[in-house]
């Protein structure tokens, strides 16, 4: 049992509309998820740490323009890009996060540097950027982060607002997030989350991703969690920490606790989902909306991925 | 019972050194705490909301240069001032927060505007400032926020670092916070927290005050909490939400839950304390360090205040 390792990932949740999705695009999402799973699994298989595995898995998603994080980050109402990320380590509840960051190719690396190289947990804005630069974290150009489809999405959203038209967008695209949770061979847990936020968001708005206890949590005693969805609700319900609290204080299983929290959020109007893993490597992937880009991989190395409310496929 | 109202406040916790405190200074702290309690109590006595009461109480502390929030905010290593604040409302878990803000005379009003006038919970940096300005929240000048003693504290800290001398500072002064929790006649709870952060902190560092679930929490079903201390630990332990979770899931009393969390933080190296109130108006004021500037006031309108580990005094 102690040799067992496992990894789960997500690439955002929401009303993923099938009518916006052709077969080639759908396959590209599955392939992006599989690439992330393989990257994290390779770390775990070599005996690496859960923290290294979630970092690798999230970096693969940040590098893929299909997902709203890193390269594929959406644009704010001001035409800028502002990224948030967090990591947490289950052994000691070490945590690091950045918010309102533009520059590093992989914001998750900036979050990890905050955890590992400062006495702080959360750095924001220009200061987070300067810190990342001082640590030698690779930066990318404005062109690297410019995705035509994201720019078009912002223009469409600004036009919609001018016309006061109803919002028919796919909300997995407009406020997507990526994340990973893992359990390594040593029994340690870790979580990582990264996002570009919401298309057309007010600059300076920060959601749940970098809020420890809301969008990201890891504690070896209970679970590791990474959330995606309507971030304000996940903050107001301390969603990730509430799952850990239900396990610790009520003795609930991971799946019971995670499902309860996601269902309660749904009842309150907080659409979204999350990925969670416990100290035995059990995984739960609940969501209260049409779909969640998600996947998992165990010791056998076979990636399983899914988008809609249908069984994961190898 | 439903007519009962109550308010508790803090003005920071830590190693408050008696040898740095003359009688006149100590009395000035007590008077500052009493003024805050009276401001909040006046709201509650007139049938006002817990949210209005904690706002009034925190504004009084922000306006007092003795406390590290608003006017008395400490300076960063860069010689700037960056303030964080949050409010939360127990009826619906409405929440608002700002981080890395300079400009508004009362940062708590900016946090409240985020809750009441946006769909967001957390705004940071320049965008938070621009939002506050757009909402007509009063700003103050750089001179207003310049306190000679805070500037001298920064110079002393920078000199200490240059000399690599041991840190002998009073840590309630170097990373103080102010906060309030209340229960109004209608049975509603609210919490508010405001801080200038740590003297000589890295610009862009954000502690627990604006992190909902860490330094600030309110839910009518359980309690309202405002914390003060070594913020990174309060974030990594989701301190404020953990108290609510222990009450809800373990059936602990407010005092048992609050004391447990503060004791656990102390064992891990997280010095500090917090103020908490439950739906019956019961108050708990635990801290794991030498002292906490604190006070409470009930329906009788008599303020009680304290600094060290001695009984509160009228």
């Amino acid at each position: 049992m102690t040799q067992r390792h496992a990894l789960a990932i997500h690439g955002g949740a929401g009303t993923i509309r099938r009518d916006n999705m052709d077969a080639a695009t759908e396959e590209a999402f599955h392939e992006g998820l599989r690439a992330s799973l393989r990257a994290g699994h390779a770390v775990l298989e070599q005996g690496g740490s859960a923290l290294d595995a979630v970092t690798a898995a999230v970096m693969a998603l940040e590098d893929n323009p299909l997902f709203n994080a890193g390269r594929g980050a959406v644009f704010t109402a001001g035409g800028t890009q502002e990224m948030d990320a967090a990591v947490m380590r289950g052994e000691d509840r070490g945590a690091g996060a950045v918010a309102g960051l533009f520059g590093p190719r992989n914001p998750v690396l900036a979050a990890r540097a905050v955890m590992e190289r400062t006495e702080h947990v959360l750095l924001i804005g220009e200061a987070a950027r300067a810190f990342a630069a001082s640590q030698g974290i690779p930066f990318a150009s404005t062109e690297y982060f410019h995705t035509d489809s994201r720019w078009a999405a912002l223009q469409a959203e600004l036009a919609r607002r001018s016309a006061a038209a109803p919002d028919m967008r796919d909300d997995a695209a407009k406020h997507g997030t990526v994340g990973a949770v893992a359990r390594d061979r040593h029994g340690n847990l870790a979580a990582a989350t990264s996002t570009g936020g919401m298309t057309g968001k007010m600059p300076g708005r920060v959601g749940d991703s970098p809020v420890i206890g809301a969008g990201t949590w890891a504690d070896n005693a209970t679970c590791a969690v990474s959330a995606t969805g309507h971030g304000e609700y996940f903050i107001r319900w301390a969603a990730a920490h509430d799952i850990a609290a239900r396990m610790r204080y009520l003795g609930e299983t991971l799946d019971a606790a995670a499902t309860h929290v996601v269902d309660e959020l749904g009842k309150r109007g907080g659409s979204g989902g999350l990925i969670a893993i416990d100290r035995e490597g059990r995984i739960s992937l609940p969501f209260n909306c049409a779909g969640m880009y998600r996947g998992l991989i165990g010791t056998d190395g076979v990636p399983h991925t899914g988008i809609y409310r249908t069984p994961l496929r190898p």
Side-chain angles (χ1 to χ4, degrees), chain A residues 110-127:
Chain A
R112 189 164 165 178
V114 171
M115 178 175 81
E116 295 181 331
R117 302 180 206 168
T118 79
E119 57 181 354
H120 301 313
V121 168
L122 176 56
L123 294 183
I124 63 174
E126 191 52 45

Side-chain angles (χ1 to χ4, degrees), chain A residues 79-187:
Chain A
T80 59
Q81 288 164 301
E82 297 181 348
M83 304 177 203
D84 309 327
V87 297
M88 193 162 179
R89 178 170 66 196
E91 299 99 292
D92 61 352
R93 303 200 194 188
V98 289
L101 180 67
F102 179 79
R105 179 183 175 113
N106 294 105
V108 70
L109 292 181
R112 189 164 165 178
V114 171
M115 178 175 81
E116 295 181 331
R117 302 180 206 168
T118 79
E119 57 181 354
H120 301 313
V121 168
L122 176 56
L123 294 183
I124 63 174
E126 191 52 45
R129 175 185 168 99
F131 167 73
S134 77
Q135 298 298 308
I137 289 171
F139 276 49
S141 67
T142 304
E143 293 68 38
Y144 171 81
F145 289 111
H146 182 93
T147 309
D148 284 342
S149 63
R150 299 301 192 198
W151 186 253
L154 173 64
Q155 303 313 315
E157 170 60 7
L158 295 178
R160 183 192 71 76
R161 291 180 189 176
S162 295
D167 189 350
M168 301 293 285
R169 291 177 294 165
D170 176 337
D171 62 11
K174 82 186 181 197
H175 54 72
T177 303
V178 309
V181 294
R183 190 260 193 204
D184 64 30
R185 285 184 171 165
H186 314 290

